[in-house]
Amino acid sequence: MAKRARLTPAALLLAGAATAAPGYASDQPWQVCTRSDVKALRFITVGEATLSRHDCQTDDLQSPPLRLTFRYFRDVPGDAFAKAALNFLEKNLQATEFNRYQDRFQAFNSHYQDINDGDAYSLTYREDGLTLALNNQPLASETGATFARHYLRIWFGETPYSQSLKENLLDQ
């Protein structure tokens, strides 16, 4: 069962970092709505994911604006993110859609960098597109809601990176 965010020091730190992120002007602060462990090989906890919104009281947690933040507890090479992202995009999109966006996906994924324990990636989905940031520093942006919705299928598609992560983040 998904857990609603509790007001722990870690949650407050994540929420504070989310509201202070440069390049994300908004008159509303981000609220951590849900959280989940991020696991590799289904049993090794490698980080924590949070889904944040300006208002968590919504029927559709996947509608914009939303922010997914992944804080990692170990070093991970950037190319591992890029390869995994492309793999799950291909699994979750019809071949024609994957082929149509493949170059854009690869260009977006090329901005993933090697990370260390404590680093955090965030994906901010707004109605006009998707922004990737590392430790609150924007790395890449893509315009278009369709691109953003397709990209978020890595975590929310029929064949997500992790079914339990999907269920926890979507409070299912």
Side-chain angles (χ1 to χ4, degrees):
M1 173 173 271
K3 297 175 183 140
R4 287 281 176 189
R6 294 189 177 113
L7 293 180
T8 65
L12 290 171
L13 179 63
L14 285 171
T19 59
Y24 303 118
S26 175
D27 56 350
Q28 298 180 36
W30 292 99
Q31 300 173 11
V32 175
C33 303
T34 55
R35 66 153 304 278
S36 182
D37 289 339
V38 176
K39 297 190 181 277
L41 304 173
R42 296 187 184 162
F43 66 92
I44 302 169
T45 301
V46 297
E48 177 183 67
T50 57
L51 187 148
S52 302
R53 302 182 53 80
H54 297 306
D55 180 4
C56 295
Q57 302 304 313
T58 180
D59 291 334
D60 183 7
L61 286 174
Q62 294 182 67
S63 65
L66 72 79
R67 177 172 293 155
L68 283 178
T69 302
F70 299 90
R71 183 165 308 282
Y72 291 90
F73 306 147
R74 43 182 83 222
D75 299 353
V76 182
D79 66 342
F81 293 110
K83 288 175 187 173
L86 203 58
N87 176 46
F88 282 96
L89 286 162
E90 190 169 17
K91 286 180 179 183
N92 283 287
L93 295 171
Q94 293 183 359
T96 54
E97 283 300 286
F98 177 78
N99 292 335
R100 180 179 303 153
Y101 284 89
Q102 185 174 3
D103 290 343
R104 289 175 66 188
F105 292 147
Q106 288 176 324
F108 191 79
N109 291 343
S110 73
H111 294 278
Y112 283 110
Q113 302 173 12
D114 296 350
I115 61 162
N116 300 307
D117 179 5
D119 285 339
Y121 273 116
S122 62
L123 289 158
T124 303
Y125 171 30
R126 298 197 186 274
E127 301 209 7
D128 59 347
L130 188 69
T131 299
L132 171 69
L134 175 60
N135 298 326
N136 296 323
Q137 297 300 312
L139 299 175
S141 290
E142 265 291 338
T143 58
T146 301
F147 177 93
R149 283 191 309 272
H150 284 346
Y151 203 83
L152 293 175
R153 287 185 185 181
I154 294 168
W155 301 278
F156 302 136
E158 291 296 317
T159 308
Y161 169 80
S162 163
Q163 188 65 36
S164 64
L165 182 131
K166 175 183 173 179
E167 291 169 2
N168 289 343
L169 290 178
L170 296 179
D171 202 19
Q172 298 176 338

